[in-house]
Amino acid sequence: MFEKKFIANAIDRSSQSELDRRLLLKGFGLAGLGVGASVLIPTVGAQAAEDPNAAATDAAVLNFALNLEYLEAEFYLRASTGTGLVPNDISGTGTAGAVTGGRQVQFKDYNIRQYAREIAQDEKNHVRFLRAALGKSAVARPAINLDAAFTAAATAAGLIKPGQTFDAFGSDENFLLASYIFEDVGVTAYKGASPLITNKTYLEAAAGILAVEAYHAGIIRTTLYAKGLADAANAISDARDSLDGPTDDDQGITDKAAGGALNLVPTDANGIAFSRSPGQVLNVVYLNNKAVTKGGFFPSGVNGAVNTSAAN
């Protein structure tokens, strides 16, 4: 009953207009981006007279999340099974793209292999759930690069030297570090998007996905620490922080200021996880701290109304 109601409500509210895009920019704090904003929101003619205080559709927010779920699903499925999403799971509106890179990891640690398999199934199910909810307005899977982007991210974090290659699928350790690039971002992305969702049914579903992403992040952070990879993970955290704005919010798995104390659960002073705006999330996955519409893991950008990173 819940699923039928969710999908019916989602399809009823799934239209995306240029007005939605203007309202989303306002909600994301991107209204003053100039050229970057104009790429996302062209002149809309007669629609400009619509009520500027009207609510933006939840479909735009869900489609933004769907792009991220495509990325995670393709990474984990390829790492755990050697193949990605099937054709029925990737079609939709916008420009469809291929996936570059990725192969099955020859795991040596049984537990890590099991983690990878379970997370892959969760991410695939997230894709299917969001696509069903969005119906005909679901965006297609955009082009995804799992080779050059991981190398660029590892270089930025200082894990490898310029000119070297980081193989995210080459070992248990590399797989864990690559996973860490995504997992904390997924948690902060859903938390940051939650105030933008107006429908309570949507909000409950998003909260459920956020909880699962938090479980995934906890597994990855704990395993990285157990494998003695705290320094490398902390370097990735610092690299993410350099992309998404001037504040020092991202936290590694140990606390340097506290003499290397364990920090598996990244929270503020109130024990609450921090948020990233959609623009800040795109800063990380585009690997760019400026307002751009493509780059990094999405070489041609993401599909949908929300596609511009924040200007930091």
Side-chain angles (χ1 to χ4, degrees):
M1 179 64 72
F2 170 80
E3 182 178 0
K4 290 181 179 179
K5 179 180 178 182
F6 182 96
I7 294 173
N9 289 340
I11 292 175
D12 287 342
R13 293 172 50 86
S14 63
S15 61
Q16 295 186 54
S17 68
E18 299 301 337
L19 175 62
D20 295 333
R21 299 181 183 187
R22 298 204 314 278
L23 293 168
L24 283 167
L25 266 189
K26 181 179 179 182
F28 299 159
L30 304 177
L33 288 184
V35 174
S38 68
V39 173
L40 179 59
I41 304 179
T43 301
V44 298
Q47 289 191 11
E50 295 185 46
D51 181 2
N53 295 314
T57 62
D58 294 332
V61 180
L62 297 183
N63 265 323
F64 170 72
L66 178 56
N67 281 283
L68 303 178
E69 296 295 350
Y70 281 137
L71 174 59
E72 289 191 302
E74 293 292 359
F75 168 65
Y76 284 110
L77 284 170
R78 281 163 161 66
S80 61
T81 70
T83 59
L85 292 166
V86 299
N88 287 344
D89 292 333
I90 63 175
S91 61
T93 62
T95 303
V99 177
T100 302
R103 69 182 191 280
Q104 189 168 10
V105 177
Q106 300 302 307
F107 291 108
K108 296 181 179 179
D109 188 312
Y110 173 82
N111 290 330
I112 297 176
R113 182 175 65 196
Q114 295 302 104
Y115 299 156
R117 289 177 177 176
E118 182 172 4
I119 294 174
Q121 291 303 305
D122 290 340
E123 302 300 352
K124 180 177 70 175
N125 289 337
H126 289 169
V127 167
R128 291 179 174 177
F129 178 77
L130 289 173
R131 286 174 56 82
L134 287 159
K136 292 182 179 179
S137 72
V139 295
R141 181 195 66 194
I144 293 172
N145 191 315
L146 295 175
D147 281 343
F150 275 125
T151 291
T155 303
L159 304 185
I160 58 174
K161 296 180 180 179
Q164 294 182 322
T165 298
F166 181 81
D167 184 0
F169 306 89
S171 67
D172 294 29
E173 292 76 15
N174 283 9
F175 165 79
L176 289 170
L177 292 169
S179 301
Y180 183 60
I181 294 174
F182 295 147
E183 288 305 335
D184 281 16
V185 177
V187 174
T188 57
Y190 275 100
K191 182 172 182 291
S194 61
L196 306 172
I197 300 175
T198 61
N199 182 287
K200 289 185 177 180
T201 306
Y202 291 153
L203 184 59
E204 181 180 7
I209 297 177
L210 187 156
V212 173
E213 298 294 348
Y215 279 124
H216 295 169
I219 290 171
I220 298 302
R221 292 175 72 93
T222 301
T223 309
L224 282 166
Y225 182 79
K227 290 288 186 180
L229 295 171
D231 289 343
N234 292 346
I236 292 173
S237 174
D238 290 340
R240 288 191 306 231
D241 232 344
S242 72
L243 294 170
D244 64 4
T247 58
D248 185 12
D249 292 322
D250 205 300
Q251 299 176 28
I253 61 177
T254 58
D255 187 349
K256 299 176 184 177
L262 190 62
N263 186 49
L264 294 181
V265 185
T267 66
D268 64 13
N270 296 314
I272 298 174
F274 77 97
S275 302
R276 281 187 174 93
S277 71
Q280 290 175 313
V281 172
L282 291 175
N283 285 133
V284 178
V285 296
Y286 286 169
L287 302 177
N288 198 313
N289 64 357
K290 298 179 175 59
V292 297
T293 57
K294 61 183 179 181
F297 292 97
F298 295 103
S300 299
V302 297
N303 286 320
V306 186
N307 57 23
T308 303
S309 56
N312 296 313

